[in-house]
Amino acid sequence: MEDATGRRYYIGKTTILDEEKTPLVVNWKTPIGGKFLAAMPGDSQGLRSKRSFTTAKNTIRSYSDSHFRTSAHEGGGEPPVEDQTDADGSGFALDDAVLAAMDAHRDSSMHDIVATIQADQYRILSHDPDDILLIQGGPGTGKTAVALHRLSWLLYNQAGAQDADDVLVVTPNSTLTAYIRNVLPALGDEGIRQIAISELGQRFVRKPRHEYSSVGVLKADARMVAVLHRGLQNRVGLSGDELTVRMPATREVAVLPAPAVNAAAKRYSHMPYLAGRTALAEKLRQELVDRYPLPRRSTFEQSFDAQSFNSQVDRVWPALSPQQFLRDLFSSKRQLAAASEGILSDEETNLLYRASAPSISEEGWTDSDAFLLHEVQAQLDPAKIRRYGHIIVDEAQDLAGMQLQAIKRSSRNGALTLAGDVAQSTGANRRDSWKSVMDLLTRRPPGQLWSAEAVTRKTLRYVYRVPREAQVLANSLQDEVAPDLDVPQSMRDAGYVPRVTRAERSDVADAVLKTVEPHVADGLMIGIIAPLSLHAAIGPALTEADVSFVFARDGELGDGVNVVTPEAAKGLEFDAVVIVDPQQIYEGDAGARLLYIALTRTTSRLDLVMVDGRMPAALQPHLDIPAPAVPVHAPAVPVEVVSAKGPSPRRHASLTDEFVAMTAELHLEAIESQVHPELVPRVVEMMQEMLMKRDGS
């Protein structure tokens, strides 16, 4: 780049010095590097021009220039304006380096975007480090990459104040964690902990347990913070008339009246639970000494029986572990009712009750329990929660209240960066706005050492990854998925018109294989996005055709073909995407948003397999849907099959197959809530086999 004085700088990933220690290349994270990245139409950052190179190793393939007028501004006149604007007059256009990066083939990992950071992205990633920053960005706007590059920028510009051990990256699942894990090392930031959200509470769970989804949703609600706090408070206080401690030397019993004991306990009730217990114990020791003076040269332990004293303190303020407290709470209807009064309904309170195991070591804990245990530990003893100087959270729109609470508890000072898209919010915790998240982030729960008055929200509007051809289809669902958000604007064309392949349900796997073959031949990274119920048919068809693939739900991605559910596709990107049965996706829970996610996973090619002639109405005007094939043979008619038990009407086998598949799908939601995800396809397959046998087919 060249500044107003004519001085030139070269900007790169890292600083390169010559023998005289003079910079040849300046790190992009420096203020000088920031000028290069922030310069844009209307704000030249004091530059005359900047040039972006497209390279292949040590060879420059191409370059693009941006020129700015700065003389008037330098003299105090009007702000600088770039010489060129794009066709719509917005002054926003992508240079060759960005276009080349978007056209490059994808693989199983996300890559850094240093060479293609845009001005709108840089202004967000370099925002005040100490704020709670919320980045709203549609698919392909680069919000995940911006959040990760922000972390790298913060580590560089806060050197000494933070290091790799003091920051944390949180994603919703292990697949996304694996996908992004190479970005920070590529930026020179090694040793940063990157985890799925479930790992925050895993250390509290020794024995897993299953529960109904309705119970899990309730436990994940942020109201449980108040229930747990009141439950702990209710464990404090002397229920009897007095507290008694044995005095071995005199064989007497020291007595403290209940009013004095409870007054002391109330004095420390604002403290974290275990700290309050320690303070109360010290106060009671002093009360005993004041009432029963120690003999000369005698210690408290010599005058008062230690075991007796500790047991009396436990009567007032019991020592508890997170597991012990939650076990006691959930197995006592009385404790639950007292803790949840005015917070939960009676029906909700009853959902939480469960019988306890014979011993605490045998007690099982669910995924939702893990975050409750994390919160209980924070209220018992905050020092036992690992805390970080800055936390990056991706796909934050799907996090439950207690998951967000665990992230807050893991923050030492409230420095958080959250990235997400309300339009892609799905699952049990889906939301239609960021209000509930922002309210929770600014709420100060008991024992939290920091507070935040507000959350700064920034929006990324321009879509760089998703081509216009796919974005047009996704935007047709905007009124259903997020009517209050700005419509994302794609900045490039892929030159590939989405194709539609018709298929009957019994032929879906063959249609998928036919659609995928050209992309496989071109060596592309492919995402087959299909409802889980279809995976059992698609997988064997790919195997039989000798097409290597992976089920992305297993926490890994391949460089070739990946079979993935719409839910698991969130945050991922592929060269080519094949969406199987978009109508079935659309008709499911949060279906419009899941279809929106599926449509925006591609960087180049998009194909759709239309099953049984059904396609969401919003998409139809934007697609060239082929006419149904004319049947060659006469249509199947019902036939009668005679069994040993006598005649019974049977439909044609092809119709029976369809019925079996549809029957299995009706039970899929129940299966998914009770069966491990890896086993669901096989369970569905077994169900279909049983139905076929029962039907005599």
Side-chain angles (χ1 to χ4, degrees):
M1 72 181 187
E2 186 174 293
D3 66 15
T5 67
R7 184 174 180 180
R8 290 186 176 182
Y9 299 90
Y10 293 89
I11 312 300
K13 283 188 182 179
T14 188
T15 301
I16 300 177
L17 306 175
D18 64 13
E19 295 179 353
E20 305 294 328
K21 304 298 183 182
T22 301
L24 298 176
V25 177
V26 179
N27 195 308
W28 70 273
K29 304 169 194 175
T30 63
I32 292 175
K35 289 181 178 294
F36 178 91
L37 297 172
M40 63 177 294
D43 184 4
S44 71
Q45 295 287 307
L47 304 185
R48 287 181 180 176
S49 65
K50 68 176 185 177
R51 172 174 291 177
S52 299
F53 297 97
T54 301
T55 64
K57 295 185 178 180
N58 292 328
T59 302
I60 295 176
R61 297 296 190 189
S62 64
Y63 65 87
S64 60
D65 290 340
S66 297
H67 298 277
F68 305 93
R69 292 197 296 266
T70 59
S71 56
H73 185 61
E74 296 297 336
E78 293 298 318
V81 179
E82 190 172 15
D83 289 342
Q84 298 178 347
T85 60
D86 67 357
D88 66 4
S90 67
F92 192 101
L94 298 182
D95 59 34
D96 292 341
V98 178
L99 293 174
M102 295 299 102
D103 290 338
H105 286 183
R106 264 51 193 170
D107 56 33
S108 58
S109 297
M110 177 183 281
H111 299 276
D112 71 81
I113 62 167
V114 171
T116 59
I117 292 174
Q118 299 298 292
D120 65 323
Q121 296 174 326
Y122 180 76
R123 281 171 168 76
I124 291 177
L125 72 85
S126 58
H127 184 76
D128 189 329
D130 297 326
D131 277 0
I132 298 180
L133 176 63
L134 175 60
I135 305 172
Q136 159 63 40
T141 55
K143 58 184 175 295
T144 300
V146 167
L148 294 172
H149 285 65
R150 170 170 170 76
L151 185 55
S152 183
W153 183 89
L154 290 172
L155 288 172
Y156 183 91
N157 286 278
Q158 291 189 307
Q162 285 184 348
D163 56 30
D165 291 335
D166 199 31
V167 294
L168 176 68
V169 177
V170 181
T171 71
N173 56 64
S174 58
T175 300
L176 188 55
T177 302
Y179 180 60
I180 69 172
R181 64 187 170 197
N182 292 330
V183 174
L184 289 166
L187 295 172
D189 301 299
E190 301 281 356
I192 292 174
R193 189 182 180 203
Q194 303 181 59
I195 64 171
I197 182 66
S198 59
E199 294 182 47
L200 273 183
Q202 277 183 352
R203 70 184 178 95
F204 296 102
V205 177
R206 295 290 181 266
K207 184 179 179 180
R209 177 186 184 131
H210 298 288
E211 65 189 353
Y212 289 110
S213 58
S214 57
V215 180
V217 170
L218 175 59
K219 289 179 180 179
D221 194 301
R223 292 178 296 165
M224 290 300 297
V225 175
V227 173
L228 297 176
H229 179 61
R230 186 184 291 169
L232 280 171
Q233 286 186 318
N234 290 344
R235 297 298 297 269
V236 177
L238 183 61
S239 58
D241 294 333
E242 57 188 21
L243 183 151
T244 59
V245 179
R246 293 194 303 273
M247 303 175 67
T250 61
R251 297 184 180 182
E252 296 179 352
V253 174
V255 177
L256 291 178
V261 173
N262 288 327
K266 185 176 181 180
R267 180 182 305 175
Y268 305 115
S269 61
H270 67 284
M271 300 175 68
Y273 186 90
L274 293 182
R277 183 183 187 278
T278 300
L280 174 68
E282 186 58 36
K283 176 63 176 176
L284 294 181
R285 286 166 66 100
Q286 188 59 51
E287 286 283 342
L288 287 170
V289 170
D290 290 345
R291 292 171 180 264
Y292 303 90
L294 299 177
R296 187 178 181 184
R297 297 180 180 178
S298 178
T299 64
F300 180 88
E301 288 72 17
Q302 291 172 332
S303 296
F304 300 95
D305 181 78
Q307 183 177 355
S308 174
F309 175 76
N310 290 331
S311 67
Q312 293 300 299
V313 173
D314 276 338
R315 283 183 58 202
V316 185
W317 201 310
L320 298 169
S321 69
Q323 292 85 352
Q324 183 179 355
F325 166 74
L326 205 59
R327 177 174 181 261
D328 291 349
L329 180 66
F330 284 167
S331 63
S332 170
K333 292 183 178 181
R334 179 186 60 79
Q335 286 191 37
L336 277 172
S340 62
E341 184 179 3
I343 303 172
L344 305 179
S345 68
D346 291 343
E347 182 180 359
E348 289 173 323
T349 301
N350 290 334
L351 281 177
L352 294 176
Y353 174 79
R354 72 187 191 202
S356 61
S359 67
I360 197 165
S361 62
E362 298 177 77
E363 195 71 48
W365 304 103
T366 67
D367 292 341
S368 297
D369 289 336
F371 291 97
L372 297 180
L373 292 168
H374 188 281
E375 174 61 20
V376 174
Q377 181 65 81
Q379 293 192 27
L380 288 174
D381 186 0
K384 290 188 177 180
I385 297 293
R386 171 73 188 276
R387 291 181 291 168
Y388 298 85
H390 201 99
I391 301 177
I392 301 289
V393 185
D394 195 24
E395 302 294 349
Q397 76 278 351
D398 288 339
L399 295 184
M402 292 307 299
Q403 292 175 325
L404 285 166
Q405 180 68 14
I407 290 170
K408 284 180 62 180
R409 292 293 196 184
S410 301
S411 173
R412 186 171 61 250
N413 50 17
L416 304 168
T417 298
L418 299 91
D421 179 18
V422 170
Q424 299 182 67
S425 182
T426 59
N429 307 305
R430 63 179 176 267
R431 46 181 56 89
D432 296 320
S433 76
W434 286 111
K435 185 179 184 305
S436 62
V437 174
M438 297 171 76
D439 287 347
L440 191 150
L441 292 174
T442 53
R443 192 181 306 146
R444 186 173 183 177
Q448 183 170 290
L449 303 180
W450 56 270
S451 61
E453 295 182 0
V455 176
T456 300
R457 176 177 161 179
K458 299 287 185 180
T459 299
L460 289 168
R461 176 187 172 195
Y462 298 110
V463 178
Y464 306 105
R465 171 176 55 79
V466 184
R468 283 191 181 94
E469 295 90 339
Q471 193 65 50
V472 165
L473 289 170
N475 287 348
S476 69
L477 300 170
Q478 184 76 20
D479 287 343
E480 295 183 69
V481 299
D484 297 329
L485 294 181
D486 292 336
V487 178
Q489 179 181 341
S490 178
M491 303 305 297
R492 67 184 186 92
D493 297 307
Y496 184 91
V497 178
R499 301 180 304 174
V500 177
T501 300
R502 281 182 175 270
E504 297 302 316
R505 186 161 298 277
S506 58
D507 301 323
V508 167
D510 291 338
V512 171
L513 185 60
K514 178 182 177 181
T515 306
V516 164
E517 283 176 342
H519 307 317
V520 174
D522 290 340
L524 302 181
M525 184 184 181
I526 303 161
I528 299 175
I529 303 178
L532 186 61
S533 60
L534 298 178
H535 285 203
I538 295 171
L542 293 172
T543 300
E544 186 175 345
D546 201 27
V547 176
S548 298
F549 72 97
V550 300
F551 284 117
R553 66 175 182 272
D554 294 336
E556 63 174 313
L557 286 176
D559 293 339
V561 178
N562 299 269
V563 181
V564 59
T565 63
E567 295 87 348
K570 193 179 300 182
L572 304 180
E573 58 185 53
F574 306 94
D575 297 322
V577 166
V578 177
I579 301 177
V580 186
D581 201 349
Q583 184 67 35
Q584 183 178 338
I585 295 173
Y586 180 77
E587 291 175 351
D589 188 37
R593 286 181 172 177
L594 288 174
L595 182 56
Y596 180 86
I597 291 167
L599 290 165
T600 53
R601 296 307 95 199
T602 181
T603 65
S604 181
R605 304 179 186 180
L606 175 65
D607 293 327
L608 300 94
V609 176
M610 178 180 180
V611 179
D612 294 338
R614 305 191 311 151
M615 179 71 70
L619 271 57
Q620 293 183 25
H622 308 286
L623 294 169
D624 183 10
I625 300 177
V630 178
V632 177
H633 304 290
V637 296
V639 297
E640 186 170 276
V641 179
V642 179
S643 69
K645 297 181 180 180
S648 60
R650 298 293 185 199
R651 293 169 54 178
H652 189 269
S654 63
L655 296 181
T656 301
D657 289 344
E658 182 178 350
F659 168 77
V660 169
M662 291 175 65
T663 302
E665 287 165 16
L666 289 175
H667 297 281
L668 182 59
E669 182 177 350
I671 293 172
E672 289 177 335
S673 66
Q674 302 296 328
V675 178
H676 191 281
E678 295 180 3
L679 300 178
V680 169
R682 179 55 185 154
V683 172
V684 172
E685 186 178 347
M686 292 170 63
M687 180 179 292
Q688 291 173 339
E689 291 173 356
M690 288 188 292
L691 287 168
M692 292 285 284
K693 290 178 181 178
R694 188 182 68 184
D695 201 45
S697 301

